[in-house]
Amino acid sequence: MTDPILEQLNQKQLQAVKTTEGYVRVIAGAGSGKTKALTSRFAYIVDRLGINSSNILCVTFTNKAAQEMKKRVKMLIGDTYDVSLITTYHGFCVRFLREEINKIQYPKNFIILDAEDQKTILREVFNELDINSKNLTFKQVLQFISKSKGTSDYLGYILANKSFEDEQTDNLSLRVFHKYLDKQKRNYALDFDDLIHFTVYILTTFNEVLVKWQENIHYIQVDEAQDSSDSQFELVEMLSRIHQNLFVVGDPDQAIYEWRGAKPEYLVDFDKMFPDCETIIMNQNYRSTPNILKVGNHIIKNNKIRVDKDMITEKPAGFEVVHFHGKNDFEESLWVASEIKEIIKTDKAKYSDITILYRANHISRNIEQSLIKENIPYTIFGGVKFFERKEIKDVLSLLRLIVTGDNISFLRMFNQPSRGLGKKFMERLSYLGREQNLSLLKALEQNSTDKELAKKGAVEFLDLIAQLKELAKIKSISDLVKEILERSGLAELYRKDGDEDRLENIRELVSSMLLLEKEYKEPINAAEYLQEIALFTDLDTHNENQDKVKLMTIHISKGLEFPYVFLCGFTEGVLPSALSIKERRSRAIEEERRLTYVAVTRAEKRFYITDSEGYNFTTGLNKYPSRFLFEISEEFYIRKGKLSPEILQAAKVPAGNPNAESRELFAVGNLVYHEVFKKGRINAVDLEKNQYTIDFFEMGKEKPIDFNFRFLKKIADDSSSESSEHGTTDSAGDLQSHLKSQKNPFEEDLTELSKAESLENQPFDENAKADPGQNLNSDNASESVKIKDQKWWKF
C-alpha cells in the first residue's frame, strides 16, 4: 500500500520530512521540490506523530504561498484539521496582536495601514512641514521609516505616551518620521513593519505572554528563510526556545529582497547559531535541463554569502543556452519576436509557454512594440502595459491635445496636475461645447471670459496649450516631450509622488523617440509620432484568458517556472542595477547576481539572454553587456550577433572604479586621513551624490570627497583636541549614515517604560516558568528590550 505523505519523495526530501526534532536547516535549490518537502513534513508531524495541527506554526512570505501550502496539506491529511497557522509572518502577527495588543493599551480593533494609507499620512505631514519632493520623496521617506523602525526602539518611546513636538532636530527625514509616528499613535494605526515590531515588543516585554505562546507552538517551519529580516528571525527564534524545534528551508542563492531588510545570513550561518543543527542539501533539480543549470551554477559560484552546492538533474542535456547581442533595441526585440515564432513552429509550443523576463519595467517598452508588430499576443504580469501606464498616457494625451484637440485627451489633462477646475466648471464648459458644436478645448478658447470659465487654472491651461502648439512646429518629438513634462508640471508631479518607476518610464519613452528619429534619420514631429504609435496605444485588452506570451520582472517570476524563458535587457547598469550598486555596493552586486540566477533557473526547456548596443539613459553611458555575461564560460552558451572587440573590452571593465563595489562606506563621525588635506572627520554621507562631506582640521574647511577616492583611509580616534563634536547634517536620502551614527531618539525613559508596562495590571511570578531565554543567555524578558540590538546573532 502506498503512503500518500511519503511517496514520490527523493532521499533528501524524505530526510527533511522525517527529521522532525531540533534545529534543522534545509538548503533547497531552485526546482528541488521545496514546497513538497515542507507540506509533506507538516502532514507527517500531524498524521504520523499525532501532533495537533494548531500547535504547528508554518510561516512564509506571501498569501499565495500560504494558500498553496494549506491546499497541499489538506490533500494529504484531509480538511478536518486546523491549518490556520500555515500563514504569512504578517498574518501570524495580526492574529497574535488581536489577542495580545491590549497589554500595551491599544484596542484589539486597531487599524492596519497599507501603502496608500501611509502615503495619505505623509501628504498631511508634508503639508504641515511645508516640504515637497525637492526635499524628500515618499519613496525615500517610507524607506527611511522602515529602516528606522528596524534599528531603533521607537515603540518603547511612543508607548510612553510622549510626543515629538518638543524634539529639536535638523534632520528632515527624522522630523517627518516623528510626525508620522504621532499620527499613527493618535489613530491606533499599525503599518506592516509595526505588525512584526509590536509582536516582538510584547513578547520581549511580557514574560507570561511569551511563555504562553512558546508552550503552545511545538514546531515551527520557516519557508524562504533567506528572506527573513532581523525582526522576523527574532520572532521565530524566540518562539522556539522552549521546544527547540525550528525548521528553516530556503536557498541563499535566491535571496533577492535584501533591499527591503532581508538577511540571508540567518540561513547561511544557521549552523553557527545552532551548532547542533542538522543541515540537509536538496540539490536535485526537477525543472531545468543540464545545459540551463550549468549556466546558473557557473554564475552563482562568484557569490560569497552562500552555502556551496551545485544543482544536478537527471534530465537529458536539452537545447544550448543562447546569447543574442543586437546593434540596437529594435534589433534585440525583433530577434526575440522572431525566435518566439520559431519556437511556436518547431516545438509545437503555445504562446503561454513562453515568458520574457527583465530587471526593470521600462525594458518592456521595445519588447511590446516588436510583439505587436509581429502579431504576437502578450500579457504583462504584475504590471501595466507600457503605453497604458498613467505617466505615458498623460504625456501622449497632451501630445494628442495639441495635435487634434480631442475631448478624451482634454478630459484627462485639463485638471492634471490639479488646477482647481471643479465640477461646475466642467458642467458649464460641456454645455457651451454642445450648444456651440465645438470641442471642449475650442469651447474654452472661445468662451474664456465666461464667468464660470474665467478661472486662473483655465487661463494657465490655455496658455500652456498655446505654448506647446508653437513649440510643436519647431521641435522634434523628443525635445517637445521634455518641454511638455516641465511646462505642464507633470515632471514635478511625478517627482513629488516619489515614484522612481514613473520617471524611469518617461526616460524610456524619450529614449524610444530618439531611437525612432535615428531610424528615420531626421526629426519627427508630433503628428508623425502619434501616427507611428497609434498601433501600440490601441492595444487589445479583451479576453485575458487567451493564449499569450507572459512578460514580467524577475522579482515577480520568483517561485514560478516556464518552458521557454528570455532574459532581455541583460545590460550593465540594468542588470546589475546601477542604482542598487550605488546604494549598497558589494551587497548589491551579490543580490543582482542572485537575480540573474533566479532568472536562469525559471527555465525548463530553453533559455535565452539578450542585450543590445545604444545609449543607456539610466547610467548616461553607452550600453554594454552585463558583467555577469563574462562570468559564464563561453563553452556553456551559443552567441548570436557580433560583439566587437571595442564592446568586449569596454564591457569587461564595469563603469567607474572596478573595485568600488567592494569598498565599505565610512560612517558619519569616522576620523579619516587624506594624503593632501590630512586629518578630518566625516560630517555627512550623501548616497545620491556618492560623496562624503569631510571637515579637514588643518585647513578648517569642509570638502566633498567621492566615495571612490582610493587615498582616503579610516584612522582610529585618538581623542585629540581635533576630535571635537560635530553635528550631523545628513542629506534627505542619507539612510545609511543616519542609521549608523544618529543618536537613538527613543533611548530616554525606555527602562522605566519597560518596567511600568510589564508590571501595570499584569502581575505574574517570573520564577513560575522555565527561563524562556536560555538559548540567548537572557534571564529576563524585559531586559531583552534594552539589549535587543546587541544579540550576538544579529547581522
Side-chain angles (χ1 to χ4, degrees):
M1 183 176 173
T2 57
D3 185 333
I5 294 175
L6 302 179
E7 68 179 349
Q8 296 181 338
L9 296 176
N10 66 32
Q11 186 183 349
K12 294 294 185 181
Q13 290 172 324
L14 196 61
Q15 186 184 352
V17 169
K18 288 190 168 183
T19 308
T20 59
E21 307 305 305
Y23 293 96
V24 184
R25 173 179 68 164
V26 175
I27 306 297
S32 63
K34 170 179 65 73
T35 305
K36 186 173 187 177
L38 259 176
T39 51
S40 296
R41 188 177 189 270
F42 190 102
Y44 183 83
I45 292 171
V46 173
D47 195 64
R48 299 295 189 271
L49 304 187
I51 301 296
N52 191 313
S53 58
S54 62
N55 297 111
I56 309 169
L57 172 63
C58 183
V59 285
T60 188
F61 283 83
T62 66
N63 287 313
K64 183 181 176 184
Q67 292 306 317
E68 177 63 21
M69 275 193 240
K70 284 180 182 178
K71 181 176 140 191
R72 291 204 199 183
V73 166
K74 286 178 180 178
M75 285 171 66
L76 291 172
I77 60 174
D79 57 6
T80 59
Y81 294 92
D82 175 12
V83 291
S84 60
L85 283 183
I86 299 177
T87 184
T88 61
Y89 274 109
H90 291 117
F92 171 77
C93 290
V94 169
R95 177 173 173 161
F96 173 90
L97 292 170
R98 294 291 183 208
E99 196 170 323
E100 308 290 356
I101 202 167
N102 62 321
K103 300 288 189 300
I104 53 173
Q105 283 74 55
Y106 263 62
K108 291 187 177 182
N109 62 341
F110 59 88
I111 296 167
I112 299 174
L113 301 172
D114 62 18
E116 284 307 310
D117 297 328
Q118 286 182 288
K119 286 181 180 178
T120 300
I121 292 176
L122 287 180
R123 284 188 188 96
E124 204 177 328
V125 171
F126 274 37
N127 285 334
E128 289 176 15
L129 293 176
D130 193 26
I131 59 175
N132 58 39
S133 64
K134 287 180 181 174
N135 311 107
L136 286 169
T137 65
F138 285 178
K139 186 176 180 179
Q140 284 174 322
V141 173
L142 290 171
Q143 188 181 3
F144 182 89
I145 289 170
S146 182
K147 289 256 188 182
S148 297
K149 284 185 173 183
T151 54
S152 67
D153 287 309
Y154 76 101
L155 249 176
Y157 196 92
I158 65 170
L159 293 177
N161 285 320
K162 296 205 167 191
S163 171
F164 291 104
E165 286 179 11
D166 299 327
E167 288 283 334
Q168 296 298 317
T169 177
D170 292 329
N171 188 307
L172 190 56
S173 301
L174 203 56
R175 284 166 61 200
V176 173
F177 180 35
H178 289 171
K179 278 194 168 288
Y180 175 88
L181 288 177
D182 280 339
K183 291 181 186 299
Q184 270 196 285
K185 169 68 178 175
R186 279 202 291 273
N187 292 289
Y188 294 111
L190 277 64
D191 61 30
F192 281 5
D193 287 320
D194 294 322
L195 294 174
I196 299 278
H197 296 316
F198 272 59
T199 299
V200 170
Y201 180 88
I202 291 171
L203 288 169
T204 53
T205 307
F206 300 98
N207 202 57
E208 86 286 6
V209 175
L210 174 62
V211 172
K212 179 180 90 174
W213 285 84
Q214 284 175 330
E215 288 187 335
N216 183 60
I217 297 173
H218 285 251
Y219 294 87
I220 300 176
Q221 297 188 161
V222 180
D223 185 25
E224 304 284 14
Q226 76 278 354
D227 295 331
S228 298
S229 66
D230 285 328
S231 301
Q232 288 162 343
F233 185 81
E234 184 172 3
L235 173 62
V236 293
E237 188 282 327
M238 203 183 331
L239 291 172
S240 71
R241 289 178 199 165
I242 285 182
H243 300 294
Q244 297 186 24
N245 293 321
L246 178 59
F247 176 91
V248 296
V249 59
D251 184 4
D253 293 339
Q254 296 185 71
I256 59 174
Y257 294 109
E258 277 194 279
W259 51 276
R260 66 182 190 198
K263 299 283 177 67
E265 289 91 338
Y266 286 122
L267 184 58
V268 173
D269 292 334
F270 192 80
D271 57 336
K272 296 184 182 71
M273 290 183 268
F274 307 103
D276 295 332
C277 90
E278 182 161 352
T279 294
I280 300 163
I281 309 279
M282 283 169 42
N283 66 337
Q284 184 168 349
N285 179 286
Y286 292 96
R287 176 184 301 156
S288 308
T289 65
N291 280 333
I292 293 169
L293 287 182
K294 275 182 202 168
V295 171
N297 287 336
H298 210 64
I299 290 173
I300 205 62
K301 276 185 183 298
N302 292 286
N303 270 10
K304 294 183 176 67
I305 303 170
R306 66 186 300 261
V307 177
D308 191 37
K309 70 177 188 307
D310 265 344
M311 297 307 294
I312 58 172
T313 181
E314 295 175 0
K315 288 190 168 192
F319 293 93
E320 290 184 274
V321 171
V322 175
H323 166 242
F324 176 80
H325 175 79
K327 289 296 179 187
N328 53 49
D329 287 351
F330 287 152
E331 190 174 302
E332 178 187 358
S333 58
L334 282 171
W335 184 85
V336 170
S338 66
E339 195 65 24
I340 288 172
K341 285 186 166 182
E342 186 63 24
I343 290 169
I344 298 296
K345 181 181 171 185
T346 58
D347 284 24
K348 301 291 185 283
K350 297 181 293 186
Y351 285 119
S352 56
D353 291 333
I354 300 165
T355 299
I356 299 173
L357 301 179
Y358 35 80
R359 171 67 176 89
N361 278 307
H362 70 271
I363 298 295
S364 77
R365 194 271 314 161
N366 55 299
I367 299 167
E368 289 184 60
Q369 290 189 213
S370 292
L371 294 178
I372 293 166
K373 275 183 179 176
E374 297 299 315
N375 292 314
I376 297 172
Y378 73 94
T379 184
I380 290 192
F381 274 55
V384 181
K385 292 180 178 179
F386 187 84
F387 287 103
E388 292 176 358
R389 290 170 189 159
K390 179 189 181 301
E391 61 278 11
I392 303 302
K393 290 191 82 167
D394 286 348
V395 172
L396 296 182
S397 291
L398 275 178
L399 268 179
R400 268 197 301 270
L401 196 56
I402 61 179
V403 173
T404 66
D406 67 296
N407 283 355
I408 294 173
S409 300
F410 182 92
L411 287 168
R412 182 179 182 89
M413 300 309 298
F414 81 96
N415 203 30
Q416 170 80 352
S418 177
R419 298 182 176 85
L421 304 176
K423 188 179 175 183
K424 286 186 178 178
F425 171 87
M426 200 61 239
E427 285 174 351
R428 178 63 176 164
L429 182 60
S430 297
Y431 169 75
L432 290 172
R434 288 192 304 273
E435 187 180 55
Q436 298 169 15
N437 196 25
L438 296 171
S439 70
L440 294 173
L441 180 60
K442 285 287 184 190
L444 182 58
E445 288 171 346
Q446 294 186 19
N447 298 277
S448 58
T449 56
D450 183 272
K451 183 182 175 184
E452 201 61 57
L453 303 183
K455 309 276 185 186
K456 183 187 174 191
V459 173
E460 289 174 352
F461 184 66
L462 285 176
D463 188 41
L464 169 70
I465 298 302
Q467 289 176 37
L468 294 177
K469 280 182 176 179
E470 289 304 309
L471 288 169
K473 295 174 184 176
I474 57 172
K475 288 200 175 280
S476 69
I477 187 64
S478 56
D479 288 334
L480 179 60
V481 164
K482 293 172 190 172
E483 294 283 354
I484 285 174
L485 286 164
E486 292 304 325
R487 293 180 185 237
S488 67
L490 287 175
E492 179 64 18
L493 179 70
Y494 304 145
R495 287 190 206 109
K496 200 168 185 177
D497 190 43
D499 192 336
E500 282 296 318
D501 284 345
R502 291 201 191 285
L503 296 172
E504 192 66 58
N505 288 332
I506 291 292
R507 282 193 285 270
E508 177 61 24
L509 181 69
V510 174
S511 172
S512 72
M513 292 168 171
L514 287 168
L515 197 60
L516 200 62
E517 288 169 351
K518 189 176 178 182
E519 190 184 22
Y520 277 66
K521 296 181 180 172
E522 61 181 22
I524 296 173
N525 63 35
E528 289 168 335
Y529 179 75
L530 288 172
Q531 188 175 348
E532 174 71 24
I533 64 152
L535 175 67
F536 307 129
T537 53
D538 185 24
L539 300 177
D540 172 29
T541 55
H542 309 297
N543 193 8
E544 285 301 319
N545 294 322
Q546 76 179 54
D547 188 23
K548 295 181 178 182
V549 172
K550 303 179 185 77
L551 274 66
M552 67 186 78
T553 63
I554 302 170
H555 280 97
I556 289 172
S557 77
K558 187 167 178 283
L560 304 175
E561 55 188 40
F562 317 98
Y564 307 91
V565 173
F566 291 81
L567 173 58
C568 296
F570 198 49
T571 303
E572 187 66 28
V574 176
L575 180 61
S577 159
L579 185 61
S580 293
I581 295 171
K582 186 178 175 183
E583 289 175 348
R584 294 185 292 115
R585 303 287 165 149
S586 60
R587 300 289 301 202
I589 288 290
E590 292 224 347
E591 183 160 282
E592 296 292 311
R593 191 177 283 114
R594 291 192 290 261
L595 269 168
T596 306
Y597 177 75
V598 166
V600 174
T601 54
R602 297 312 92 201
E604 296 171 1
K605 295 181 179 179
R606 295 199 197 188
F607 181 69
Y608 301 85
I609 310 165
T610 72
D611 80 287
S612 57
E613 296 170 28
Y615 185 75
N616 187 331
F617 275 77
T618 303
T619 61
L621 301 166
N622 287 329
K623 287 165 64 177
Y624 304 114
S626 168
R627 68 184 73 184
F628 300 144
L629 179 66
F630 304 101
E631 294 180 356
I632 311 168
S633 173
E634 291 193 24
E635 68 189 272
F636 293 146
Y637 66 91
I638 296 170
R639 177 171 292 155
K640 296 189 177 182
K642 185 172 173 55
L643 273 174
S644 68
E646 294 77 22
I647 289 278
L648 279 169
Q649 184 59 36
K652 288 182 180 179
V653 182
N657 185 342
N659 300 314
E661 69 268 11
S662 61
R663 188 178 299 132
E664 288 299 318
L665 288 183
F666 299 138
V668 170
N670 283 166
L671 284 179
V672 292
Y673 184 81
H674 187 290
E675 288 188 354
V676 176
F677 301 143
K678 308 305 179 190
K679 261 190 190 178
R681 184 189 299 276
I682 294 178
N683 278 357
V685 182
D686 191 326
L687 295 176
E688 288 194 0
K689 292 184 178 177
N690 244 26
Q691 72 182 30
Y692 304 109
T693 300
I694 303 177
D695 181 4
F696 289 103
F697 304 137
E698 287 188 15
M699 304 178 69
K701 289 182 179 178
E702 282 191 343
K703 296 279 187 184
I705 303 296
D706 193 274
F707 286 166
N708 293 343
F709 181 63
R710 290 173 294 147
F711 304 108
L712 189 69
K713 310 295 181 191
K714 183 180 174 184
I715 57 175
D717 189 341
D718 57 6
S719 303
S720 68
S721 59
E722 294 166 334
S723 57
S724 57
E725 284 191 11
H726 292 258
T728 61
T729 54
D730 302 356
S731 67
D734 186 8
L735 304 180
Q736 185 167 344
S737 63
H738 166 75
L739 296 171
K740 283 185 178 178
S741 64
Q742 187 75 28
K743 179 182 179 295
N744 187 345
F746 309 104
E747 282 174 352
E748 232 178 306
D749 301 318
L750 189 57
T751 309
E752 287 75 5
L753 172 79
S754 180
K755 289 175 185 172
E757 291 292 352
S758 55
L759 293 173
E760 186 180 346
N761 303 319
Q762 301 295 333
F764 66 90
D765 180 2
E766 289 190 35
N767 299 315
K769 299 286 182 184
D771 170 26
Q774 54 191 317
N775 290 346
L776 296 180
N777 301 318
S778 173
D779 297 324
N780 187 313
S782 64
E783 277 296 302
S784 66
V785 177
K786 288 182 282 183
I787 65 164
K788 170 179 159 188
D789 291 324
Q790 299 167 21
K791 290 172 181 169
W792 66 269
W793 45 262
K794 279 224 168 187
F795 293 102

